[in-house]
Amino acid sequence: MREKQKYIFVTGGVLSGVGKGVTAASIGAVLQAKGAKVSIQKCDPYLNVDAGLLNPREHGECFVTKDGAETDLDLGHYERFLDIELTQKSATLAGRLLFDLIADERAGKFGGKTVQLIPHLTQSIQQTILQAADGSDFHIVEIGGTVGDYEGLSFVEAIREFSQKVGRSNCLFIHVVYVPFICTSKEFKTKPAQNALNDLRGFGIVPDAVVVRTDYPAPDSVADKISLFGGVAKENIIMMPNADTVFRVPLILAKSGFSKLLSDFSGLHKKPNLAAWEKIINQQMSKPEKTVTVGLVAKYIDNEDTYISVIEALKAAAWHEKVGLKVKWVNAETATKKDFKKVDAILVPGGFGARGVEGKIAAARYALDNNVPYLGLCLGLQVAVIAATRKAGQDDANSTEFAPKCSCDVVYIMDGQAGKESTGGTLRLGDYPARLVKGSLVEKVYGTTKVTERHRHRYEVNQQFLYEISKGGLVVSGTSPDGSLVEFIEAPQNDYFIATQAHPEFRSRPIRPSPLFVGLIRASLKNK
Ligand code: GLN
C-alpha cells in the first residue's frame, strides 16, 4: 500500500444521470492502467436502506455484490470497468446510516448527547469512506444526485471535512456538469453549469477539475467560460461529448488535460497502459459479417437501465464472438408467437411479480418446442420449468409467487422465506457455488463442473416434480453442492436451452464475458 492513501471525489451538478458513474469508473480505469490499486464507492443520499425494494423502472437495475448487497446499478459499471468485485462497503446509503445511528441512539450509545446530522451522520459517512478505502492506493467516491439537493447536503459536508482531515492535497474533487445545447438558437448554454459550480463553492469545495458533458462536441469557448466563471484552470476543464461507447471514456480521459492532473496528483508519471481498452474499442468498432437478434422478453421495456448488466453481458459475448448484436425488446405482457418467430434467440431475464409472467412462460415454451436458443436467468429458469411441466400435461403448473394456491407448485417458496415476500434484504443473495452434472451442456459451456454465480431470489424449483419436468423436456444440470437446490436446467433435445437460478450477468466483464451468454450468441448463429 502507498504510504498515504489518496481520495478522489466525484460530484455532479445541473442534472443527474449524465455519466457521473462512468466518469468515476473511468478515472479508476486510468489509475489501474498506471499500475495502481483502486477501490471505489457510491454514496446515495436517499433514505432507502438498500436498493432492493426500489422500483427498477424508476431506478434501473438492482445490482448484487458477491456478499449479497442489493445496490445501485453504478456498482455494476464499477465492476465491469475495473474488473474488481465489490462488497457492501462500496454501497453507502443515507437510509442505512441513519437506521444504524438511530439504533445506536436507542441503545443508549450516545450517553445523553444530542444526535445530529452534523457531526454524527457526517462522521458515519467519513467512517464508511475509510472502511471502503481499506487496502487500496486510491479510493474513488461518487456522490449520487446533484450538489445542492437537500438530502445530499450531509454528504457534501462530510467530504469537505474529510479532505480537511486527510489533507486537501490527498484529495481530488471532480465535478461533472451538463451543458445543454439549445436547438432553436443553436448554442450551448453554460449558465446552469456556472450555477452548479457556484453551489459547490458555496459548500466550501473548489473542484480540481470539471467534466463537461454535452450531447454534441462543444466549441472551445464553452470550456473558456466554465474555466473563467468556475475558477478552474482551462486545462482541467474536460470536455466530454456523448461517446459512441462508454468504454471509450477512459481513453478520452487519458488523452485530455486530466491526464497531467492525475499524474501530478497520483505521483504516477508513467503513461497508462490502455491496451485492454483499445482492444475493447477495436472489437466494438469492427464491422461484423453477421448479426444476431436476441429477443429480451421483459416487462420494463421502456428503460434499458433496468436490464443493464444483461445487455452489457450480451454485448460482451457478441464482441467476443465477433458478431453484431441486435437486442429486440419483447413486451412480456403482449408477446405472441409472432414476436418469438422474429428472433434468433430468446432471453428471459430475472423478475418479480405476476405481471407479464404468462408471456415469459410462453417464450420459454416456444423456445423449447422450436429449438430456439434460450437463456433463462433466475425467473427465466422458473418460467422454463413451469413451461416444461405444463407441456407434460400439468396445466396447473405454476410458481406459488404467482398462484399461491396452485396444485402443481413446481416453483415454490423455500423454508424460512415464507412471509417475507415484501420485505427487504431477505432473499437468497450474493455468491453461491453450484455443482454441474458431468457431460451436461452447461458443463461444456463453462468448461468445469464447479461454478459460482450471484443470486437474488426467494423461490426454488420443487424437486418433487422432477419427473414431470423431465417429461416436458428439461433436466437438472446443476445443483447446490449438497444437491438440495436446483441451480441449472437444460433441454437435452435442444441445441442450446440453458437456464440458471443465478444472475451470471453480474460477473460478466467486457473482456471476459459470461460463458452462458457466449454460448447463446454462438448458438444463435446456427441458421445464419
Ligand atoms: N421472483 C423470483 C424469485 O424470487 C425470481 C427472482 C429473480 O428473477 N431475480 O425467486
Side-chain angles (χ1 to χ4, degrees):
M1 211 180 100
R2 298 170 60 83
E3 224 172 88
K4 201 139 181 71
Q5 201 152 27
K6 297 210 170 204
Y7 302 87
I8 298 170
F9 296 101
V10 181
T11 52
V14 183
L15 321 164
S16 63
V18 290
K20 218 168 356 113
V22 169
T23 304
S26 300
I27 294 169
V30 177
L31 282 167
Q32 276 185 337
K34 283 171 171 280
K37 186 155 187 241
V38 174
S39 54
I40 190 161
Q41 170 183 14
K42 173 89 191 266
C43 290
D44 273 313
Y46 40 77
L47 296 186
N48 301 69
V49 172
D50 63 34
L53 299 178
L54 287 171
N55 182 345
R57 167 168 283 149
E58 267 173 43
H59 207 83
E61 164 188 282
C62 170
F63 186 80
V64 182
T65 58
K66 65 175 178 181
D67 60 341
E70 296 178 279
T71 74
D72 188 89
L73 58 79
D74 271 319
L75 270 81
H77 285 312
Y78 302 161
E79 288 209 357
R80 283 187 289 274
F81 268 75
L82 303 178
D83 197 7
I84 51 179
E85 288 196 292
L86 301 169
T87 64
Q88 176 73 68
K89 284 187 194 160
S90 288
T92 303
L93 269 78
R96 179 176 297 276
L97 299 180
L98 288 167
F99 194 69
D100 291 346
L101 271 183
I102 292 168
D104 282 351
E105 189 274 337
R106 290 291 77 190
K109 291 194 185 160
F110 289 98
K113 283 214 175 74
T114 313
V115 184
Q116 294 177 293
L117 293 179
I118 303 173
H120 297 103
L121 179 61
T122 46
Q123 273 168 8
S124 300
I125 295 167
Q126 291 162 12
Q127 207 54 40
T128 69
I129 295 174
L130 289 172
Q131 283 162 359
D134 192 31
S136 69
D137 304 325
F138 295 92
H139 183 59
I140 300 169
V141 182
E142 178 192 347
I143 308 291
T146 49
V147 169
D149 298 344
Y150 257 157
E151 50 190 12
L153 299 182
S154 306
F155 284 88
V156 178
E157 172 60 12
I159 60 175
R160 186 195 66 76
E161 287 175 14
F162 189 92
S163 75
Q164 210 169 327
K165 288 183 187 167
V166 300
R168 180 63 175 85
S169 61
N170 293 314
C171 297
L172 203 60
F173 284 92
I174 312 221
H175 202 44
V176 181
V177 297
Y178 178 68
V179 169
F181 179 72
I182 308 299
C183 288
T184 42
S185 56
K186 301 209 168 21
E187 56 180 342
F188 288 92
K189 287 291 189 190
T190 60
K191 191 50 157 263
Q194 292 173 35
N195 288 342
L197 283 157
N198 278 343
D199 287 345
L200 188 62
R201 267 205 310 265
F203 295 112
I205 297 173
V206 179
D208 300 286
V210 180
V211 172
V212 181
R213 289 281 297 109
T214 51
D215 290 331
Y216 310 98
D220 213 33
S221 56
V222 168
D224 284 333
K225 261 193 182 166
I226 293 178
S227 166
L228 187 66
F229 295 116
V232 176
K234 170 93 182 281
E235 61 267 28
N236 295 333
I237 306 291
I238 296 120
M239 301 307 287
M240 188 72 75
N242 285 352
D244 49 354
T245 152
V246 290
F247 296 112
R248 201 184 283 287
V249 178
L251 297 168
I252 298 175
L253 282 180
K255 276 203 200 105
S256 72
F258 185 66
S259 169
K260 180 168 183 312
L261 180 68
L262 204 58
S263 291
D264 293 344
F265 171 71
S266 65
L268 303 170
H269 294 286
K270 77 170 193 206
K271 248 183 101 175
N273 176 2
L274 292 157
W277 294 94
E278 271 146 17
K279 188 174 160 206
I280 294 175
I281 299 290
N282 288 341
Q283 272 182 347
Q284 290 185 30
M285 294 303 127
S286 65
K287 287 258 171 303
E289 270 171 41
K290 293 176 181 168
T291 294
V292 296
T293 304
V294 177
L296 191 65
V297 187
K299 65 178 176 184
Y300 301 110
I301 52 169
D302 49 3
N303 182 357
E304 239 184 65
D305 275 357
T306 311
Y307 305 99
I308 182 120
S309 293
V310 174
I311 295 186
E312 288 300 323
L314 278 172
K315 284 187 194 163
W319 298 327
H320 187 266
E321 292 306 296
K322 301 189 171 46
V323 299
L325 170 74
K326 240 179 95 184
V327 174
K328 191 162 183 335
W329 294 88
V330 178
N331 185 341
E333 286 185 90
T334 56
T336 64
K337 279 187 185 161
K338 257 213 258 138
D339 299 300
F340 307 140
K341 262 193 194 137
K342 290 187 200 143
V343 298
D344 302 312
I346 292 176
L347 192 155
V348 178
F352 290 81
R355 193 162 60 81
V357 82
E358 284 302 323
K360 295 178 185 179
I361 297 170
R365 177 68 185 265
Y366 184 88
L368 192 59
D369 289 349
N370 297 284
N371 195 18
V372 175
Y374 179 87
L375 180 60
L377 309 173
C378 204
L379 180 63
L381 174 140
Q382 299 173 356
V383 294
V385 167
I386 296 168
T389 315
R390 289 186 188 173
K391 186 173 175 174
Q394 300 270 354
D395 296 338
D396 189 32
N398 216 324
S399 162
T400 52
E401 181 177 4
F402 318 122
K405 294 200 171 71
C406 71
S407 58
C408 180
D409 53 343
V410 280
V411 179
Y412 71 156
I413 201 144
M414 291 188 284
D415 284 347
Q417 289 279 11
K420 296 181 184 166
E421 285 80 348
S422 49
T423 47
T426 55
L427 298 136
R428 182 168 179 251
L429 289 164
D431 271 2
Y432 282 95
R435 199 181 50 198
L436 307 181
V437 172
K438 277 216 167 65
S440 62
L441 177 62
V442 76
E443 183 210 3
K444 206 169 128 207
V445 168
Y446 273 108
T448 173
T449 54
K450 280 189 188 155
V451 297
T452 296
E453 296 286 7
R454 309 258 172 97
H455 290 67
R456 181 176 185 240
H457 67 116
R458 182 166 277 130
Y459 294 82
E460 294 288 343
V461 174
N462 184 345
Q463 298 199 53
Q464 276 175 16
F465 291 99
L466 286 188
Y467 171 73
E468 286 79 0
I469 294 169
S470 74
K471 217 173 122 197
L474 293 180
V475 297
V476 173
S477 52
T479 61
S480 54
D482 66 359
S484 64
L485 304 175
V486 172
E487 287 280 5
F488 288 86
I489 51 124
E490 61 190 56
Q493 307 300 321
N494 291 34
D495 293 333
Y496 193 89
F497 189 110
I498 292 181
T500 169
Q501 191 60 80
H503 287 278
E505 67 272 24
F506 293 147
R507 290 183 54 146
S508 185
R509 299 287 184 260
I511 36 170
R512 219 176 39 259
S514 159
L516 297 179
F517 285 77
V518 173
L520 184 76
I521 297 291
R522 272 190 200 155
S524 314
L525 279 167
K526 79 177 167 194
N527 296 325
K528 293 269 150 183

